Amino acid sequence: MIPFTLVTKNLAKHKLRFVLTVLSLAVAIFLLCVLRSLVVALNAGVADAAANRVIVQSRVSLFVQLPQSYGPKLAQVDGVECFARWNWFGGYYQDPSNFFAQFATDPKELFDVYPEIYLVEGSKADFLANRKACVVGAETAAKYGVRVGDTFPIIGALYPTADGSAWDFQVAGIYRSKKKSVDENTLFFHYEFLEKSLESGFASGPSGVGIFVLKVAPGFQPVEVMSEVDAMFENGPQVVQATSESEFQAQFVSMVGNVPLLVSSIGGGVMIAILLAVLNTMLMSAREQTRDIGVLKALGFTDGSVFGVLILQSFVLCGLGGLLGIVLAKMSEPAVVKGIGSMFPGYQVTNPTLLEAVGATAAIGFLAGIAPALRARALSVIDALRAVR
Amino acid sequence: MKDATAAAMIRLRGVTKSYSRGGETLTVLDRLDLDMERGGFYALMGPSGSGKTTLLNVIGGLDRCDEGSVEIEGEDIARMNGPELAAWRAEKVGFVFQGFNLIPVLTAQENVELPLLLTKLSRRERHEHALLALELVGLADRRKHRPSQLSGGQEQRVAIARALVSDPSLVLADEPTGDLDRKSADDVLALLQRLNREFQKTILMVTHDIEAAQRARAIVHMDKGGTLGRIERVDAESSRS
Amino acid sequence: MALVPLSYNLRSLAVRWSATLLTVFGIGATVAVLSGVLALQQGFETLFSESGREDVIVFLRQGATNEGDSVFSLERAQILMKTLPEIAVDEKGVPLVSAEMYLAVRRKKIDGGESYVPIRGVSPLSFDIYGDGVRIIEGRRLVGGADEVIVGKKLVNRIRDCQVGRTLTLNTTPFEVVGVFDSDGPFASEIWGDRNRIGEALERPVQSRIVAILKEGTDLAALAERMDSDPQVPSKVLTEREYLTSQTQALSFVLKGLGFFLALVMGTAAVFTATNTMLAALASRTYEIGILLALGYRPHAIFLSFLFEALVLGLAGGAVGCLMALPLNGVDTGAMNFQTFTEVAFAFRVTPQVMVTAVVFAVMLGLIGGTWPALRAASMRPTEAMRRV
């Protein structure tokens, strides 16, 4: 039988100490949640990648374009149902710091290859019909106040116009995506528009195709399609690397550096610091309760229930701090998205992350409480009663 | 030495207890034999180091003797293991300490209720019993106060209420008036006497105060080295009430 | 002014040794993490900034932020190289100017995965320009016009096929690795080859930058202004040192920001631990303080005494943190320079600057943690303090 009032009242005895410990725990758990969510966002593209999509890029470098002539040849590969060309546009809106992705692509094929994209405003027909049209992701549209019918001027950094003016895209639709394979921050426009602009001298920039995104027809093995594509262009003019979409996305994540290691070491450091803080509080608290423990034992409470009193104090303390940290992490979601949402599209504090936070909290609760609890359990009644309060 | 023969509630035989301190072994209780009868009120007196507190602790199951048997109401508690002793203490013994030993974060009522958590009583029943005990010691109106808000005498009376609340057969008090002024000491001793006379509680009280000892019904004198001295009967009329 | 003996503080710390240790380690862990990240940043920064030369001048396409962005057509590059009057000549009368082609290419790593490695197409004059900054340590120099490459020392153990005698295939052309070179700066993570051969193999008939040694006494500022508005080849002019330093800015900024953010979070926990510890010290020394005050010690002496104790905690924490971080010094690591998308190998540098920052931070943590308890101690009244609790 564990006197629960003792658990809560002992924690509340030193209010300042209690508050400080809970707050520092909350801050640490908050940080862990945010870090984890950033990693999850980075990997989101990988997780939601479609198994039937294949990316064809230059084997040499992502910065090398592939010849236009590759398109028709790819269409002839067994198992390729359709494909879309994708060219990274690399522009910005008004100021270089207003960064988000733009791609020149084949509009009809875009929706075929990425069925998860759907329009929430505007019309697909309008987008297809107008060569200068574009569709904008809902997040970016909200950030810059762009609506259907507006002209969205983008300065081309990679494809500068001859007179330095912006590329005027006409917004025909706002899109959202059902999966995290496509983020909601991108602008898609007509590949033809890019081609014609380069031809006419309106703008200059790298010719060729950035990547081809293939949709593998049902019944065909993506791996076989990839081998066939690689073999087809083995002799050039540009050797290619066909990869699954998940591999392609993973490539970007790994480029940020050894993210798992970095995040683990940071997370580890934070956990250690916070564990020490909580342990310190628990040890101090436990020491002050030495005589009380003697009294409890004298009254007939078992060693086990005394153990319980102390370990519960640790769990309650950590539970409160962890809960606060989790709530803060969840509440800060909009702010983080606003701040660095373009670098980490789809940032969200997901349930698995929250579960991890709960696990971390429980682990700290246990580790911080076990030593004082064991000590209390082993304490002899006489010695405990003699302790100076 | 035997005081009474039949119905000895407490029967100690050959009880030995030693401590080692700094390489030396001190024998505090040396093959002690003792009988105490049910309903008695014994004062344990003796110079410091005579082992009176140790004896109290052994009888209360707070400490183990090295050899011998400690029979309380027929059960040899020297044979019990930790959990058994704890359960036994909860049921049979109430403690009153010199330093009161109330739990500072709990109110008077919560302190008194503590031993009841070890029973199967419902919450309401626990409240009722605790209130009753507090009324007995005259502190029902202070039940929501924490120890820091009570005077020393009041704290000790709460401790006594706590010692009573689970209706133990034995009440063990270690220098219960040691930290109290004369008036409070008086109140506490009067209470103990009442418990003994009205409620037939067997009380063992360690004290070095001869006036407090006079309030008991028998005085057990102990000597340094642990050998038992004589038991002195205190006359019922000559004791103050 | 009578000060409380320092031995009181040391004794107090020793008596409550577990709380002291926990606080010291809490602060130490925080400081170690901070030092680690700063050492990473220092290693990265010094690699670039210390190796850049003041006398080597770099010409980039106007508007480019790095070589990856910068593109000169072959024609324009020639115009600049041939017509710029400020270019110095060597003893044979040959102008010390060279055009280089830069591209980040995907290569497989020895222990799995891929990485982007810079390829630099150079001309024989590049070696004359860099002089001792680039030294062949194995094999031989490049022969102009041949399909061969030399690799930077840092790639030998990390990237596949980057060893003398191996063959590196770029697109469809095999290149033999004929030598290994060392350089103090980021060149050591690059692959070098003949510009023309590399350009043809990659189908990339462009130059990225032009490097030159200029005549003595050239006014660089004037030149930069002139080239900014040059009608034929508008370019950006900077010293190699300036260029390299600018390359590090983004990552340096991120690393420093990361370091301090972490330090803030962990520091908060450490401060709480320190405050808790000092509050406990206060609680157990209350009686002693009462006596000191009654004897005539002034409150500020008490305040200073407690502050001193907190200072000792901070210093000890700083020392522990530095000790934990020191082993990192010289450890090889790498980071992704996301400005050029390439991985750069360098070593952690635990510079004196890093250690000083760490210790100062630790002391600050201790002082911040200890101020409030010190104030409370100093404001105690002797009679209250001496009342035996």
Side-chain angles (χ1 to χ4, degrees), chain A residues 1 3 5-6 9-10 13 291-292 295-302 381-382 385 389, chain B residues 57 62-63 86 89-90 95 97 101-107 110 114-115 117-118 162:
Chain A
M1 189 59 202
T5 19
L6 253 188
K9 288 203 169 185
N10 269 316
K13 184 174 180 187
R291 198 134 81 131
D292 296 345
V295 172
L296 286 175
K297 290 198 182 185
L299 292 177
F301 285 88
T302 58
V381 187
I382 313 270
L385 285 173
R389 222 188 265 288
Chain B
N57 287 341
L62 290 180
D63 204 353
R89 280 202 302 275
F95 289 98
F97 302 97
N101 280 342
L102 295 179
I103 297 196
V105 293
L106 299 177
T107 63
E110 285 167 340
L114 258 188
L117 288 174
L118 296 163
R162 178 181 68 187

Side-chain angles (χ1 to χ4, degrees), chain A residues 201-215:
Chain A
F202 169 64
S204 58
S207 62
V209 181
I211 57 174
F212 291 91
V213 186
L214 311 176
K215 181 175 175 189

Side-chain angles (χ1 to χ4, degrees), chain B:
Chain B
M1 240 214 194
K2 297 190 187 159
D3 175 50
T5 45
M9 180 190 186
I10 300 173
R11 181 189 285 240
L12 273 64
R13 292 288 178 269
V15 169
T16 307
K17 176 82 187 168
S18 318
Y19 291 107
S20 28
R21 202 141 290 182
E24 277 185 34
T25 316
L26 280 145
T27 308
V28 182
L29 299 174
D30 192 5
R31 286 160 298 165
L32 200 117
D33 290 345
L34 178 61
D35 283 3
M36 292 176 172
E37 47 176 45
R38 180 183 303 282
F41 185 167
Y42 298 86
L44 291 169
M45 293 197 70
S48 136
S50 53
K52 45 191 201 293
T53 299
T54 308
L55 181 59
L56 199 78
N57 287 341
V58 167
I59 291 175
L62 290 180
D63 204 353
R64 283 187 183 291
C65 55
D66 302 328
E67 284 167 39
S69 69
V70 182
E71 274 181 37
I72 317 257
E73 291 189 324
E75 290 180 274
D76 185 2
I77 65 169
R79 299 272 164 274
M80 290 186 187
N81 62 32
E84 287 169 338
L85 265 179
W88 177 83
R89 280 202 302 275
E91 201 194 339
K92 301 281 189 183
V93 186
F95 289 98
V96 181
F97 302 97
Q98 177 174 0
F100 328 135
N101 280 342
L102 295 179
I103 297 196
V105 293
L106 299 177
T107 63
Q109 179 166 355
E110 285 167 340
N111 265 290
V112 174
E113 268 182 43
L114 258 188
L116 295 178
L117 288 174
L118 296 163
T119 65
K120 293 196 173 45
L121 296 177
S122 75
R123 205 205 218 157
R124 209 170 44 86
E125 287 172 315
R126 291 204 298 266
H127 279 358
E128 279 172 19
H129 279 67
L131 265 171
L132 235 86
L134 279 170
E135 273 170 17
L136 207 104
V137 302
L139 283 172
D141 57 337
R142 299 262 199 217
R143 64 184 184 281
K144 295 280 189 232
H145 289 214
R146 274 184 280 122
S148 56
Q149 297 163 311
L150 300 171
S151 74
Q154 289 168 334
E155 279 193 72
Q156 193 62 297
R157 279 149 64 196
V158 171
I160 293 175
R162 178 181 68 187
L164 288 180
V165 76
S166 49
D167 202 24
S169 353
L170 194 54
V171 173
L172 301 178
D174 190 354
E175 309 267 14
T177 57
D179 279 0
L180 300 176
D181 60 274
R182 204 69 245 168
K183 171 75 175 69
S184 306
D186 254 10
D187 293 339
V188 164
L189 289 166
L191 196 50
L192 288 176
Q193 280 178 313
R194 189 174 156 216
L195 291 181
N196 177 247
R197 272 191 247 123
E198 270 183 54
F199 297 93
Q200 281 87 50
K201 300 293 178 202
T202 309
I203 305 183
L204 265 67
M205 178 176 72
V206 164
T207 183
H208 60 266
D209 178 4
I210 188 71
E211 286 186 35
Q214 296 284 1
R215 307 267 241 159
R217 301 226 313 261
I219 301 181
V220 176
H221 289 278
M222 296 184 68
D223 277 345
K224 243 191 183 52
T227 50
L228 195 52
R230 61 195 198 291
I231 294 186
E232 180 192 320
R233 276 249 168 249
V234 178
D235 205 73
E237 286 89 42
S238 66
S239 65
R240 289 183 297 186
S241 45

Side-chain angles (χ1 to χ4, degrees), chain A residues 30-31 33-39 41-42 139 143 185 325-349, chain C residues 261:
Chain A
F30 165 77
L31 182 70
C33 283
V34 168
L35 277 178
R36 191 86 193 87
S37 302
L38 288 175
V39 173
L42 276 181
E139 297 288 337
K143 187 169 180 183
N185 299 57
I326 287 173
V327 165
L328 282 173
K330 217 44 188 139
M331 278 182 15
S332 66
E333 233 176 49
V336 174
V337 168
K338 196 150 181 224
I340 51 176
S342 51
M343 285 207 286
F344 295 92
Y347 173 86
Q348 201 196 3
V349 183
Chain C
F261 175 68

